[in-house]
Amino acid sequence: MELSCKCEYAILALLEIAAHYESDEPLQIREIARQQNIPDRYLEQLVATLRRGGIVKSLRGSKGGYLLTREPRKIILFEILECLEGLEVRACEEDLNPKKVDTSVIEEIWQEASRAANSVLQKYTLQDLCEKLDSRRQLDIMYYI
């Protein structure tokens, strides 16, 4: 399973917003884009999708911007990717059209791999990513000292 550029940018933006969750301080698109080096216009589209998916909310006005709709520990990675990519776990049902044995074997293995990947994505939250990022930054600082 490969992470699309779209998902990577969205997760980076969410990490930036999550870093300001405790302060309840909304972040503007241009600030997120600058911090994460994401094109503004593309980020606007991604954040709009995340807003429609109920992951972020927007505040209007001069001090407006974007906030998470709930705590980072309550936002599961699978939910983010599902919002952006429309991930779904397909049931292993018999199709109306019979398939060749070769095709059905490949499809069974692909579905098993998808279920395993989805299981991992359902295990991690945005908070988990924030904590991993913080610990890596600490290691990076220690490396330079």
Side-chain angles (χ1 to χ4, degrees), residues 40-108:
D40 290 33
R41 293 206 183 256
Y42 190 53
L43 184 57
E44 285 175 12
Q45 295 171 7
L46 294 176
V47 174
T49 301
L50 293 169
R51 187 181 50 75
R52 285 189 300 274
I55 296 172
V56 298
K57 62 183 174 182
S58 61
L59 297 176
R60 293 179 178 243
S62 61
K63 301 223 183 217
Y66 291 90
L67 296 163
L68 296 177
T69 56
R70 55 195 183 279
E71 298 173 50
R73 67 181 178 84
K74 293 184 178 179
I75 299 174
I76 298 167
L77 289 183
F78 182 82
E79 176 187 3
I80 296 167
L81 298 181
E82 185 178 43
C83 172
L84 294 164
E85 300 285 357
L87 294 178
E88 60 184 56
V89 181
R90 293 186 311 179
C92 297
E93 297 175 0
E94 290 298 319
D95 287 342
L96 298 175
N97 301 327
K99 294 186 178 185
K100 291 179 17 182
V101 173
D102 302 3
T103 307
S104 66
V105 167
I106 293 168
E107 188 171 309
E108 286 173 21

Side-chain angles (χ1 to χ4, degrees), residues 7-67:
C7 289
E8 184 176 347
Y9 280 164
I11 292 170
L12 288 171
L14 288 170
L15 285 171
E16 197 65 39
I17 296 169
H20 293 84
Y21 180 79
E22 292 297 322
S23 68
D24 205 30
E25 182 182 311
L27 283 181
Q28 295 181 346
I29 290 282
R30 67 177 168 261
E31 178 64 20
I32 299 167
R34 187 179 59 76
Q35 289 289 341
Q36 294 296 335
N37 198 25
I38 302 170
D40 290 33
R41 293 206 183 256
Y42 190 53
L43 184 57
E44 285 175 12
Q45 295 171 7
L46 294 176
V47 174
T49 301
L50 293 169
R51 187 181 50 75
R52 285 189 300 274
I55 296 172
V56 298
K57 62 183 174 182
S58 61
L59 297 176
R60 293 179 178 243
S62 61
K63 301 223 183 217
Y66 291 90
L67 296 163

